[in-house]
Amino acid sequence: MGLKRKTTSKNPPILSHEFVIQNHADIFSCVAMVFIIGLMVQATSPLAYMFIGLSHNASAEVGPDAKPLDNGPILYTYGWKDACVVFFYFLIIIILHAIWQEYILDKVTRKLHLSKLKHNKFNESGQLAVFYLLSFLWGLDIIVKENLIFNISSLWEGYPHSRMGFSTKFFFLSQIAYWLHCYPELYFQKTKREEMGKRIRYATAGLVFSAAAYFLNFNRVGICLLMLHHLSEGFFHVARLIDFCDKEEKGSKVGYLVSNVVFVLARLGSFILSFLTFWYGLALSDNQVLDLGSGNFNIPPVRLGALVSVGIVQGYLMFHFITDQLKQFREWRPTIVKKAPAKKASKPKKKDEKRGGTDDDNELPEVDQNTKKNLRSRAVKTK
């Protein structure tokens, strides 16, 4: 009979659930290294590059008579090879997620001594705050370079925007990869069943809208909408992090106030941009025929579906924001304690009167009252 090897939580059995959870970052790093090493081998270099670099270069199709541009920017379109890129950066995001969690967030939470519930919320906000703020800065850089801020009509002029620059294409593929990585993270983080539904809906909404803006060639308006959403969500998670770290609650109040203002402005700005683009701008275009070859989806059902979808999401977020504010207002409002009417003081029984005492005697101390009573009794006996 062989001896059983004792296993602890630090050294779980190989290929067990606990082993995969504790070492998932190392496992995915090994998988990613296979593609990187493949770039160094001449035979596998084209296949490895399909996973790491962007494909579907469309610069040769730009210009009159489909001639390549000599000094023009490199433009891309989308295709089936994008799935390979999404898979590779899906692995990279999981690795970065684990590194940020282990070397930054875990060390901070040890010092804060948070409860289990606050610990989970702190980790969630710590991850999402970085993602939202970096995505906002990235989207802002694209908008400035393409001059979309001071030229709002460019959101719908020249549609379909089927050819994108490197930064725009990589931005959308990174967004899709990030939301896809949220599903296995439910397993790696040991998320409870009651919390899974909310996180799955949250990740699915981000994945669907990012993919729809990318594949329907609404990338310009999509970047603007995502930038506004990322800004508002980024401020919220930063405010929540400050709330966990600030014990005096001075900075958290300012953080939540700024977050609430930015949230309302982002919802309003998102609805205005969507209405101008889908209801007004694209409706003026002469080319309103569905053409999958050129990537033209400018038809009334698609425009109306996009506008209604954005409106529903903004209304849903605004509804939950208002309900949360009302709930917090009820919790913070001081409870008004109604003073009960004062009861009338009951008149004490005049026991002393029955005993022959007077009001003057009641005002005296107890010792003096007894002395006075003895003197009176002696006087009565002498009579």
Side-chain angles (χ1 to χ4, degrees), residues 250-316:
K250 294 181 180 179
S252 60
K253 293 180 180 180
V254 178
Y256 280 123
L257 178 61
V258 175
S259 172
N260 295 338
V261 173
V262 174
F263 182 88
V264 175
L265 293 178
R267 303 285 76 80
L268 180 62
S270 299
F271 184 78
I272 292 174
L273 285 179
S274 301
F275 184 82
L276 288 175
T277 303
F278 297 113
W279 186 263
Y280 173 75
L282 293 175
L284 299 177
S285 176
D286 297 331
N287 187 10
Q288 298 191 24
V289 179
L290 181 63
D291 187 0
L292 300 179
S294 62
N296 185 16
F297 296 93
N298 185 16
I299 56 176
V302 176
R303 293 201 309 268
L304 182 62
L307 180 60
V308 171
S309 299
V310 175
I312 290 175
V313 171
Q314 303 307 317
Y316 175 81

